[in-house]
Amino acid sequence: MRFMVMVKATKDTEAGVMPSTEMLTAMGRFNEEMVKAGVMQAGEGLHPTSKGARIKYSGAAPVVTEGPFPVNSDLVCGFWLIEVGSKDEAIQWMKRAPFDGGAEIELRQIFSSEDFGEALTPELRAQEERLRAQAAAKK
């Protein structure tokens, strides 16, 4: 099972406050553990929303809104993509993340091809596999 782990933004992350050397070191150790265990597929920090935009699709043309956006529980400042055997295993890994008081993360399972049932026709499944292979080859 694959999960996206979203690290929630804070006033500090939105203000562009960078993590300390100690935090970066601890995070590096944690990431290394997950890579060695074959769990981590990707993980990155995100720039504040002041450097981002939102696109809303309604009506004839998408509407673009430039950041910054108000700090709330919807904002994300980083993420991991992990692959584990269960949601409980994902939770156990993330309980070890080197965050301090006030930090919050959210785990969400990523859909697999099988989750779409008959709506994912053999042609669409082949297209998805081809695109995944092409994307991996470009890395």
Side-chain angles (χ1 to χ4, degrees), residues 22 41 47 51 77 91 111 133:
E22 293 78 15
Q41 296 182 333
H47 281 270
K51 295 183 177 185
C77 70
I91 290 169
F111 281 110

Side-chain angles (χ1 to χ4, degrees), residues 5 9-10 20-21 35 39 42 51 76 84 87-88 106 127:
V5 179
T10 65
S20 67
T21 300
V35 168
V39 170
K51 295 183 177 185
V76 175
V84 293
K87 182 170 100 177
D88 287 337
E106 178 179 338
Q127 177 189 35

Side-chain angles (χ1 to χ4, degrees), residues 57-96:
Y57 300 89
S58 62
V63 176
V64 176
T65 304
E66 297 286 337
F69 305 114
V71 178
N72 62 38
S73 64
D74 293 337
L75 295 185
V76 175
C77 70
F79 70 93
W80 284 282
L81 292 178
I82 62 172
E83 187 163 3
V84 293
S86 68
K87 182 170 100 177
D88 287 337
E89 185 180 351
I91 290 169
Q92 290 309 309
W93 271 105
M94 288 301 118
K95 284 171 72 174
R96 296 169 49 198

Side-chain angles (χ1 to χ4, degrees), residues 18-29:
M18 298 304 286
S20 67
T21 300
E22 293 78 15
M23 176 54 126
L24 291 172
T25 301
M27 194 61 70
R29 280 194 301 266

Side-chain angles (χ1 to χ4, degrees), residues 1 19 32 34 38 67 87 97 117 136:
M1 303 174 119
E32 191 168 5
M34 288 197 297
K87 182 170 100 177

